[in-house]
């Protein structure tokens, strides 16, 4: 049956029988008066009883527990007084120990000590000893020392040294139930010992109630042990016992004094070697108590002996007294021990431990003497001890001090530490993962698979991967490949359990070691089925694009990225372009791996290449076949450069260097996409003190943009087979140039001198380009250079000479000043306002106004075909401004008016004049004198600009009139707006009739329909008595005009729209 808390059972009955037989053998003396010399005669019945109990225990563990309980019972019996007759009635009810205590005869400490010696149970003795109250603990240890010092035998010495060693190895918090019950029992019975052992009486432990629960004072116990050695060292004759005693003393002085260096654990490989050496010694020594133990028990015990922890330090006085004692022992025993050790072929554990601890102790002594402030006497002790230690070790054979270890034993010890999670097992995992001589044995693989949870750190995963790749490089047979698959699977499982941050650390390590190919470079098993896995994984990802699916997607991609980084990134890049709407989700996934910002080495060391950028170039760039793919690529790249909540995966400089600078040439097929990329990237603010634009060669970049702009001056005369970005792209280039001029400043140069040199270089290069480009660089130039313009501009403007200077340009002869002025107005809104302010026209001189107005129309037509949309908007603003100021004279004719309109058209005069001006411009542009000036393709661009302006005029007129309503008055703005719509419609049809039939009708149709819709809105809002008649007349007029349109498609569409207007008008109530 199981033993209870001091319960009576079969085992306690057997123990009782042993003690009763022993008591009979001591008669007529009682057992409580047993002397040391009587034990050989009296002890066997007790030890036999314990042997019988052990034989009946179902397991060695159970036997060990019963031995501990037996010692605890005997010790309690020796410590506690017997109950008085008066207390018997209460004792059996209240005292848990009462029953079992009454079963045994009274005993003394002789029985206790001899029983523990016979059982070889020094460890459980120490466990129980240290569970006692502080005073009792020290008293009991003093009892032991006095007992050992009297009639000392070799077994007494062994027992004493074992107890000492166990006291130093003991760790708090390892008490089991028996120890706890024993401690509780003794604390509850705070009283004197009831017996006289024939020794000095023990200290009383009833004392201060507050001290009963205090833990034993470790320092006082150590002093008792040292005193015990001082009393018994003359009785120690055997060499291995002397080694044992010295090792204990040296270990105590190394750990429990100021000699112990702080924070300096043994390197893990040295630690493993020492544990393995101890295990090896125990395995080969048949006399060792651990000889028959399993490897796991030996390793655990060896680790315990290696990891002493000091809970207390000896005082400085005690320390130096003990050092002096050690010195005297080495003097007394040193010579004889040296001879004995050198004459022996093998070390025993005690001698190995002495040499090991003494070597460490010697180093600590040197460090201690160099770093501490010592008195004269202290210095003498340390110096003498250092010298004798060095001399002792010097005379010992080198072969004894270093034990050759079997590699397989070290690996087995390491695996045991890992499997049992012993002290420093985490560090041992690191050795296990990287030690290539152990790797891929059957035990190694089994240990890894079984203990995967211990390898779930980025450092260990990387070490395992390095070991795996190293093995794969030299082992390609079928069996080796199967092992590789097995180990790869285990490592990937460890990696899968890591946090995303730690996964990125692993990916960084993989890229640093093997580059973009990652493990696939040397590990062929990775490639088996990888492509299929890649396809299946991304098929699932692109079908579940959602915030909820992001975490799962990132986990899946993390696994693939570990195995083959560049293939995974290529797949993401490709899918981001071809999968509609998946690009942002895929960018989020990719940005979850900042490790992919890895810079690869390349031919140009000054321009390292990003892995992600290379994959974008190889998988996507140059293969974009549709506008949608280009748009998704642009947004995908923009997200990588500036993600919403992650670190950028591609830097702005990388994006520009890879996708802009090489393609910033007018004949490049990717020029327009490159410009869009540049525009996106320039909008990103710099996060560091040094702006990223510095690494993008800003001045050559500016020059490239200027050259592109210069190409637009010859846009309509470029060879037809030569690619050039469209005029729609011109605005993008202008915006980019403006952004760059604001971004590039003196701070982007490494020195003021270099800044000035760079500006001068750019100014010199731009001098050969169109003169307006220099004006666009004014923000960059600052006060370094004046605005250089054609000399003829000074003829019509009052330009301040401190800011402006003339430039001889053959193309700008006499009378070209207004053309130059208008080109200046196209440059920027700011410069446009300046030009309007500086323009000099004498409005009081009719001839000058007429000449200016005619010249203005000619200049406008000269500039129009080369204008971008933004430039043309600036010019239409000039038209409006000059018309309102009545500087520009545009007479309005009544060629599309049947009857004189009795309307107030003055608020809308500007819109009518603008429309007529555009008409006159097209009349000039389509005249025979200009027939060869522009190619047919230019017509569509000019029409698009005109249609945009007409739409703006229509909106402005509508805004000036206010929302259409049904007022009671006859005179309302609705009639005026209706009239303006009719005039614009007629002007548009006039222009359409002049244009060659070359595909210009589509934008005209759109605007014409918009005009008619506007006309219908305002016309239907007119509720005057004659409104129905007016609408009928106007509709008839519009239909007659439309009938004369030559373009069939345009005519048919407009007549259909007019017929619907008529049908709606016919349905109105009269």
């Amino acid at each position: 049956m199981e033993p209870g808390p001091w319960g009576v059972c079969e085992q306690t009955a057997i123990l009782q029988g042993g003690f009763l037989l022993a008591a009979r053998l001591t008669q007529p003396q009682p057992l409580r008066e047993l002397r040391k010399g009587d034990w050989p005669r009296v002890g066997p019945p007790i030890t036999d009883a314990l042997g019988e109990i052990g034989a009946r225990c179902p397991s060695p563990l159970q036997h060990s527990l019963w031995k501990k309980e037996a010692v605890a019972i005997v010790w309690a019996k020796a410590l506690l007084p017997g109950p008085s007759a008066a207390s018997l009635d209460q004792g059996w009810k209240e005292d848990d120990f009462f029953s079992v205590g009454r079963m045994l005869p009274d005993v003394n400490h002789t029985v206790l000590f001899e029983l523990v010696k016979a059982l070889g149970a020094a460890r459980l003795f120490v466990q129980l000893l240290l569970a006692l109250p502080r005073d009792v603990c020290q008293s009991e240890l003093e009892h032991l020392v006095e007992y050992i010092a009297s009639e000392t035998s070799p077994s007494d010495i062994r027992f004493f040294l074992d107890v000492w060693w166990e006291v130093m190895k003991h760790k708090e918090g390892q008490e089991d139930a028996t120890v706890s019950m024993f401690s509780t029992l003794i604390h509850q019975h705070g009283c004197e010992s009831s017996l006289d052992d024939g020794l000095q009486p023990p200290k009383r432990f009833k004392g201060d109630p507050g001290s009963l629960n205090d833990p034993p004072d470790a320092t006082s116990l150590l002093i008792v042990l040292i005193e015990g050695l001082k009393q018994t060292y003359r009785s120690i004759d055997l060499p291995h016992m002397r080694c044992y005693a010295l090792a204990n003393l040296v270990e105590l002085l190394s750990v429990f004094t100021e000699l112990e260096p702080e924070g300096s654990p043994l390197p893990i490989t040295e630690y493993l070697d020492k544990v393995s050496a101890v295990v090896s010694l125990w395995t080969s020594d048949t006399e060792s108590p651990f000889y028959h133990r399993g490897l796991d028990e030996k390793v655990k015990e060896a680790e315990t002996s290696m990891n002493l922890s000091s809970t207390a330090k000896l005082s400085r006085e005690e320390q130096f007294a003990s050092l002096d004692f050690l010195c005297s022992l080495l003097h007394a025993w040193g010579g004889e021990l040296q001879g004995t050790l050198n004459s022996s072929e093998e070390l025993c554990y005690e001698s190995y431990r002495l040499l090991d601890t003494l070597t460490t102790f010697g180093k600590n002594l040197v460090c201690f003497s160099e770093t501490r402030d010592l008195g004269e006497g202290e210095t003498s002790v340390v110096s003498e001890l250092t010298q004798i230690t060095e001399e002792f070790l010097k005379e010992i054979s080198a072969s004894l001090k270093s034990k050759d270890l079997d590699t397989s034993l070290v690996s087995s010890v390491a695996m045991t530490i890992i499997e049992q999670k012993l002290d420093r097992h985490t560090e041992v995992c690191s050795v296990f993962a990287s030690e290539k001589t152990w790797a891929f044995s059957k035990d190694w693989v089994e240990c890894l698979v079984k203990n995967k949870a211990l390898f779930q750190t980025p450092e260990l995963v990387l070490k395992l991967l390095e070991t795996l790749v190293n093995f794969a490089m030299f082992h390609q047979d079928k069996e080796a490949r199967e092992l590789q698959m097995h180990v790869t699977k285990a490592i990937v499982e460890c990696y899968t359990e890591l946090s995303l941050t730690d996964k990125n650390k692993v990916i960084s390590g993989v890229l640093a070691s093997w580059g973009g190919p990652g493990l696939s470079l040397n590990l062929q098993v990775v490639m088996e089925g990888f492509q299929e896995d890649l396809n299946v994984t991304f098929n699932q990802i692109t079908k579940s694009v959602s915030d909820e699916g992001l975490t799962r997607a990132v986990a899946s991609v993390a696994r693939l990225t570990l195995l083959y980084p560049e293939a995974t990134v290529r797949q993401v890049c490709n899918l981001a372009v071809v999968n509609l709407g998946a690009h942002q989700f895929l960018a989020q996934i990719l940005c979850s791996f900042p490790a992919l910002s890895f810079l690869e080495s390349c031919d140009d060391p000054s321009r390292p290449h990003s892995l992600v950028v290379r994959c974008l170039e190889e998988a996507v760039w140059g293969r974009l076949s549709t506008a949608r793919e280009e748009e998704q690529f642009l947004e995908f790249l923009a997200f990588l450069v500036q993600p919403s909540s992650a670190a950028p995966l591609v830097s702005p400089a990388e994006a520009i260097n890879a996708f802009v600078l090489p393609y910033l040439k007018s004949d490049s097929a990717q020029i327009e996409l490159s410009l869009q990329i540049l525009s996106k990237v320039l909008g990103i603010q710099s996060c560091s003190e040094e702006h990223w634009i510095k690494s993008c060669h800003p001045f050559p970049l500016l020059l490239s943009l200027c050259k592109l702009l210069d190409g637009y001056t010859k846009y309509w005369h470029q060879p037809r087979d030569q690619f050039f970005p469209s005029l729609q792209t011109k605005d993008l280039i202008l915006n980019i140039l403006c952004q760059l001029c604001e971004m590039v400043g003196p701070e982007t140069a490494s020195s003021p001198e270099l800044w000035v040199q760079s500006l001068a270089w750019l100014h010199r290069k731009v001098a050969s380009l169109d003169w307006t480009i220099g004006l666009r660089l004014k923000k960059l130039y600052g006060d370094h250079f004046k605005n250089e313009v054609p000399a003829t501009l000074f003829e019509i403007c009052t330009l301040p000479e401190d800011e402006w200077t003339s430039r001889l340009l053959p193309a700008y002869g006499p009378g070209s000043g207004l053309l130059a002025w208008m080109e200046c107005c196209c440059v920027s809104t700011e410069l446009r306002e300046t030009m309007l302010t500086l323009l000099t026209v004498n409005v009081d001189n009719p001839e000058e106004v007429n000449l200016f107005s005619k010249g203005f129309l000619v200049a406008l037509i000269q500039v129009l075909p080369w204008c971008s949309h933004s430039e043309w908007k600036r010019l239409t603003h000039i038209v409006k401004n000059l018309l309102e100021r009545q500087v520009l004279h545009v007479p309005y004719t009544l060629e599309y008016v049947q009857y004189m309109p009795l309307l107030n058209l003055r608020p809308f005069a500007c819109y009518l004049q603008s429309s007529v001006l555009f008409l006159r411009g097209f009349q000039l542009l389509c005249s025979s004198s200009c027939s060869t000036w522009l190619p047919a393709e230019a017509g569509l661009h000019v029409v698009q600009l005109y249609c945009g302006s007409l739409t703006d005029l229509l909106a402005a007129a509508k805004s000036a009139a206010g929302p259409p309503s049904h007022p009671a008055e006859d005179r309302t703005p609705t009639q005026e707006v209706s009239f303006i719509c009719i005039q614009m419609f007629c002007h548009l049809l006039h222009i359409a009739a002049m244009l060659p039939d070359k595909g210009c009708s589509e934008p005209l149709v759109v605007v014409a329909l918009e005009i008619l819709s506007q006309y219908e809105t305002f016309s239907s809002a007119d509720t005057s008595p004659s409104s129905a008649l007016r609408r009928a007349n106007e509709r008839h007029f519009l239909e007659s005009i439309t009938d004369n349109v030559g373009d069939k498609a345009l005519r048919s569409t407009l007549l259909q729209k007019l017929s619907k207007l008529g049908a709606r008008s016919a349905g109105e109530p009269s």
Side-chain angles (χ1 to χ4, degrees):
M1 65 181 288
E2 294 290 329
W6 312 117
V8 176
C9 59
E10 182 182 358
Q11 285 86 343
T12 51
I14 296 172
L15 187 63
Q16 179 191 33
F19 271 92
L20 291 176
L21 284 173
R24 189 177 299 169
L25 291 174
T26 61
Q27 289 179 350
Q29 287 184 324
L31 196 56
R32 65 174 179 272
E33 296 176 6
L34 184 72
R35 302 299 174 192
K36 182 187 290 190
D38 297 329
W39 177 258
R41 175 174 60 85
V42 176
I46 298 174
T47 54
D48 289 346
L50 285 171
E52 184 180 345
I53 292 172
R56 298 190 181 197
C57 286
S59 67
L61 176 61
Q62 199 71 19
H63 184 202
S64 175
L65 291 173
W66 258 106
K67 279 203 295 187
K68 185 181 293 186
E69 182 146 349
V71 173
I73 292 170
V74 172
W75 204 334
K77 190 71 180 173
L79 276 176
L80 302 180
S84 63
S87 64
L88 287 178
D89 288 339
Q90 286 294 110
W92 70 272
K93 296 177 184 177
E94 298 174 357
D95 189 351
D96 290 335
F97 187 68
F98 179 84
S99 298
V100 70
R102 296 287 292 174
M103 290 177 67
L104 301 183
D106 292 335
V107 296
N108 60 4
H109 281 79
T110 301
V111 175
L112 171 66
F113 295 149
E114 291 297 336
L115 175 62
V116 175
K117 276 171 55 181
L119 294 175
R123 175 166 301 171
L124 67 86
F125 176 83
V126 169
Q127 289 173 349
L128 295 170
L129 172 73
L130 298 179
L132 294 170
R134 175 183 297 179
D135 292 345
V136 182
C137 176
Q138 184 170 341
S139 171
E140 292 299 284
L141 189 59
E142 289 170 353
H143 266 318
L144 175 64
V145 167
E146 293 174 39
Y147 183 81
I148 296 299
S150 173
E151 303 174 30
T152 306
S153 67
S155 64
D156 288 336
I157 296 297
R158 162 65 75 175
F159 179 48
F160 169 68
L161 295 177
D162 284 347
V163 168
W164 183 343
W165 186 214
E166 292 299 334
V167 167
M168 290 197 295
K169 289 191 295 181
H170 181 79
K171 287 184 171 59
E172 296 293 333
Q174 298 180 341
E175 295 79 10
D176 60 13
T178 302
V179 174
S180 297
M181 288 189 294
F182 176 72
S183 176
T184 302
L185 177 67
I186 303 303
H187 278 82
Q188 286 173 345
H189 289 268
C191 58
E192 297 181 358
S193 173
S194 60
L195 305 171
D196 179 7
D197 296 315
L199 303 170
Q200 291 296 322
K203 293 182 180 178
R204 301 181 181 274
F205 61 95
K206 189 167 184 175
D208 177 11
S211 69
L212 293 179
N213 293 321
D214 291 342
D217 183 357
T219 305
S220 59
L221 298 184
L222 297 175
I223 294 300
V224 172
L225 292 168
I226 294 171
E227 288 300 319
L229 182 58
K230 287 179 179 179
Q231 294 179 34
T232 58
Y233 78 93
R234 292 181 183 83
S235 302
I236 305 176
D237 299 321
L238 297 175
H240 71 281
M241 284 295 103
R242 288 182 173 181
C243 289
Y244 196 175
L246 283 171
N248 277 2
L249 182 57
V250 172
E251 198 100 59
L252 186 152
L253 292 172
S254 296
V255 177
F256 298 89
T257 65
E258 295 177 357
L259 286 174
E260 183 188 26
E262 293 182 5
S264 55
L266 277 177
I268 191 59
T269 50
E270 188 179 338
Y271 178 81
L272 262 180
D273 287 343
K274 287 193 174 186
V275 173
S276 301
V278 171
V279 171
S280 176
L281 287 169
W282 286 339
T283 303
S284 59
D285 183 5
T286 56
E287 300 297 322
S288 169
F290 300 103
Y291 176 74
H292 294 288
R293 304 275 183 91
L295 179 63
D296 54 346
E297 290 186 73
K298 290 176 183 172
V299 172
K300 187 173 183 179
E301 184 63 30
E303 267 224 337
T304 302
S305 66
M306 295 283 294
N307 295 321
L308 304 187
S309 58
S310 57
T311 56
K313 302 287 186 185
L314 297 183
S315 68
R316 197 174 182 90
E317 182 182 350
E318 293 166 340
Q319 173 183 323
F320 280 94
S322 301
L323 289 173
D324 189 48
F325 175 50
L326 173 61
C327 193
S328 65
L329 282 181
L330 286 172
H331 275 302
W333 292 347
E336 189 177 340
L337 277 181
Q338 284 173 341
T340 304
L341 290 173
N342 284 326
S343 64
S344 61
E345 296 181 2
E346 285 287 338
L347 286 174
C348 64
Y349 173 62
E350 288 79 7
S351 54
Y352 167 81
R353 186 168 153 246
L354 172 62
L355 295 176
D356 181 56
T357 55
L358 209 51
T359 302
T360 303
F361 180 71
K363 295 175 184 176
N364 291 352
L365 275 176
V366 173
C367 180
F368 181 74
S369 63
E370 292 174 351
T371 58
R372 300 303 174 97
D373 185 16
L374 303 178
E376 184 178 346
E378 294 172 338
T379 302
S380 174
V381 171
V382 171
S383 176
E384 184 181 1
L385 191 53
T386 302
Q387 182 180 352
I388 195 171
T389 301
E390 289 175 355
E391 289 174 357
F392 179 84
L393 292 172
K394 186 189 297 185
E395 297 300 322
I396 302 298
S397 169
S399 62
L400 285 175
K401 286 187 279 187
S402 61
K403 182 169 178 60
D404 293 330
L405 296 172
D406 184 359
T407 303
S408 63
L409 175 61
V410 180
S411 66
S412 297
V413 166
M415 286 182 251
T416 302
I417 291 172
I418 291 169
E419 287 172 359
Q420 296 205 17
K421 299 181 182 63
L422 301 180
D423 288 343
R424 300 187 73 177
H425 69 273
T426 303
E427 295 168 86
V428 175
C429 284
S430 180
V431 178
F432 172 91
S434 56
E435 183 53 65
K436 295 173 178 59
T437 56
W438 304 351
F440 287 87
S441 66
K442 181 182 177 183
D443 290 340
W444 187 89
V445 174
E446 285 181 358
C447 180
L448 173 62
V449 172
K450 185 179 176 182
N451 298 281
K452 288 194 296 279
L454 298 180
F455 291 88
Q456 291 170 9
T457 70
E459 296 77 18
L460 293 180
V461 169
L462 276 170
K463 287 184 177 183
L464 287 169
L465 289 173
E466 289 170 9
T467 302
L468 171 61
V469 169
N470 181 75
F471 178 81
M473 288 171 66
F474 301 104
H475 301 84
Q476 300 294 337
D477 57 274
K478 182 181 178 182
E479 183 181 354
R481 288 170 71 85
E482 287 178 0
L483 275 174
Q484 290 169 37
M485 286 289 289
H486 201 44
V487 170
T488 301
K489 182 174 180 290
I491 297 173
V492 170
E493 287 174 2
C494 293
Y495 168 80
T496 302
E497 294 300 319
L498 298 178
S499 67
L500 186 56
T501 301
D502 285 345
K503 285 176 181 172
N504 271 290
K505 290 179 183 177
V506 175
I507 293 170
S508 291
V510 167
L511 290 171
S513 298
W514 303 291
L519 299 179
S520 69
L521 184 66
N522 298 302
L523 200 61
Q524 290 302 309
V525 294
V526 165
M527 298 304 296
E528 296 174 12
F530 178 82
Q531 190 60 47
E532 182 182 354
D533 191 8
L534 190 70
N535 293 338
V536 169
T537 300
F538 278 102
N539 281 341
Q540 293 172 343
I541 288 173
T542 51
K543 288 176 183 177
S544 60
V545 176
S546 66
D547 291 341
E548 294 76 19
L550 181 62
T551 304
R552 291 194 302 274
V554 168
S556 299
V557 173
R559 179 177 55 81
L560 296 171
T561 305
L562 171 72
L563 301 175
Y564 198 166
E566 65 182 21
T568 307
V569 176
R570 275 200 211 100
Q571 186 81 337
V572 173
C573 295
N574 182 58
L575 290 174
V577 169
V578 300
N579 267 70
L580 181 62
H583 54 284
Q584 185 166 340
F585 184 67
L586 291 167
Q588 282 181 282
I589 293 172
L590 214 53
C591 286
S592 300
F593 302 101
L596 294 175
S597 58
F598 172 72
L599 294 177
E600 301 176 314
S601 57
C602 60
D603 297 335
D604 184 0
S606 65
R607 289 182 61 189
H609 221 164
S610 158
L611 168 67
V612 174
V613 170
R614 177 170 67 81
C615 290
L616 280 167
E617 289 177 321
E618 293 174 355
V620 180
W621 188 251
R623 302 182 186 183
L624 303 168
S625 56
T626 66
R628 180 178 62 79
E629 287 185 357
E630 288 188 355
E631 183 183 349
Q632 292 212 161
F633 173 81
L634 180 62
E635 292 181 10
F636 179 68
L637 179 61
F639 195 97
L640 298 184
V641 176
Q642 193 175 31
S644 56
S645 59
L649 208 50
V650 177
S651 71
E654 285 174 330
I656 290 176
N657 288 324
F659 301 112
V660 177
L661 293 180
Y663 308 98
L664 214 56
K665 295 173 285 190
S666 61
D667 58 349
S668 170
Q670 288 93 356
I671 177 66
E672 296 196 357
L673 181 57
S674 291
L675 288 168
Q676 291 179 60
I677 292 170
L678 180 56
S679 178
K680 283 266 189 187
V681 171
L682 288 178
I684 297 172
Q685 297 297 318
S686 180
C687 299
S688 59
E689 291 183 7
E690 184 173 287
H691 202 290
W692 56 262
I693 197 68
K694 280 186 70 175
S695 59
C696 298
H697 315 289
F699 283 92
L701 179 57
L702 283 163
L703 181 60
S704 296
L705 293 169
C706 291
K707 286 180 176 179
L708 283 174
L709 286 177
D710 183 65
Y712 281 104
T713 61
K714 301 176 281 290
Y715 185 81
W716 297 116
H717 304 291
Q718 299 275 6
R720 292 196 176 188
D721 58 344
Q722 182 176 328
F723 178 81
F724 196 87
S726 68
L727 269 166
Q728 283 73 23
T729 307
K730 186 180 180 183
D731 273 337
L732 179 61
I733 298 173
L734 291 172
N735 289 334
I736 291 170
L737 187 63
C738 184
Q739 281 180 283
L740 263 178
C741 287
E742 292 177 356
M743 186 179 292
V744 176
E747 67 279 357
T748 59
S750 54
S751 67
E753 295 79 12
L754 183 61
W755 169 250
V756 174
Q757 290 172 14
S758 301
L759 282 180
W761 174 86
L762 183 63
H763 184 263
R764 190 168 61 252
K765 292 288 184 180
V766 170
S768 62
L769 306 180
D770 184 68
W771 65 273
T772 59
I773 293 172
L775 299 180
R776 298 184 187 277
L777 297 174
K778 181 59 181 172
K779 281 188 178 178
L780 186 70
Y781 287 161
D783 296 330
H784 289 277
F785 303 103
K786 292 182 180 180
N787 292 320
E788 299 177 14
V789 294
T792 54
L793 182 60
F794 283 80
E795 298 171 4
I796 66 164
C797 285
T798 52
L799 300 173
E801 293 186 1
D802 58 335
E803 296 178 25
W804 299 81
T805 183
S806 63
R807 180 176 173 184
L808 183 61
L809 295 167
Y812 290 80
S816 63
L818 200 50
L819 172 63
W821 179 85
M822 202 167 284
E823 287 182 291
C824 283
C825 290
C826 289
V827 169
S828 69
T829 302
E830 184 182 359
L831 191 55
R832 178 194 70 192
E833 297 305 312
T834 301
M835 288 294 103
L836 283 169
T837 303
L838 299 176
L839 178 67
T840 55
V841 179
N842 184 2
V843 293
D844 295 329
N845 186 336
E847 186 180 352
E848 187 174 333
V849 172
N850 272 325
L851 282 173
F852 171 79
S853 299
K854 290 176 182 178
F856 185 90
L857 179 61
V858 173
L860 187 68
I861 294 308
Q862 283 182 282
V863 172
L864 171 60
W866 282 270
C867 279
S868 67
H869 285 278
S870 68
E871 290 173 323
W872 178 242
K873 276 186 177 293
R874 290 192 190 105
L875 291 183
T876 56
H877 176 83
I878 288 173
V879 171
K880 181 175 180 289
N881 181 279
L882 295 177
L883 286 172
E884 288 174 346
R885 288 163 54 191
Q886 298 183 17
V887 175
L888 179 63
H889 177 59
V890 181
Y892 192 85
T893 59
L894 299 176
E895 55 194 299
Y896 294 111
V897 179
Q898 285 181 300
Y899 309 101
M900 179 65 67
L902 300 176
L903 304 171
N904 178 21
L905 295 175
R906 184 163 296 280
F908 306 99
C910 180
Y911 313 125
L912 289 169
Q913 287 177 298
S914 296
S915 184
V916 170
L917 181 67
F918 298 149
L919 173 61
R920 300 292 175 249
F922 271 95
Q923 285 175 327
L924 177 59
L925 197 57
C926 297
S927 65
S928 59
S929 60
C930 296
S931 60
T932 58
W933 182 47
L934 290 174
E937 295 81 15
L940 178 61
H941 174 67
V942 172
V943 168
Q944 286 173 333
L945 294 179
Y946 164 67
C947 289
S949 296
L950 215 54
T951 301
D952 292 341
L953 286 176
L954 201 61
K958 178 184 174 183
S959 176
S965 59
H966 298 276
E969 299 179 9
D970 293 341
R971 302 286 306 145
T972 66
T974 56
Q975 292 180 25
E976 281 81 354
V977 177
S978 298
F979 176 79
I980 291 168
C981 290
I982 292 171
Q983 293 303 298
M984 287 184 180
F985 182 77
C986 293
H987 295 159
L988 182 145
L989 293 186
H990 191 154
I991 291 170
M994 292 187 290
L995 291 170
D997 187 16
K998 293 290 183 180
C1000 299
S1001 62
E1002 185 179 339
L1004 291 171
V1005 169
V1006 173
V1007 178
L1009 292 173
E1010 187 179 346
I1011 293 171
L1012 290 177
S1013 296
Q1014 202 70 266
Y1015 163 76
E1016 180 185 13
T1017 302
F1018 280 89
S1019 178
S1020 61
D1022 181 11
T1023 59
S1024 61
S1026 60
S1027 61
L1029 176 61
R1030 187 181 298 110
R1031 278 195 292 272
N1033 289 337
E1034 288 171 351
R1035 187 175 66 255
H1036 177 72
F1037 173 69
L1038 291 171
E1039 286 174 347
S1040 63
I1041 293 291
T1042 307
D1043 273 334
N1044 294 320
V1045 173
D1047 188 318
K1048 291 181 180 180
L1050 177 60
R1051 183 174 68 247
S1052 172
T1053 304
L1054 297 180
L1055 286 173
Q1056 188 177 5
K1057 174 71 172 176
L1058 286 168
S1059 67
K1060 290 180 179 178
L1061 291 181
R1064 279 194 283 271
S1065 297
E1068 291 176 356
S1070 56

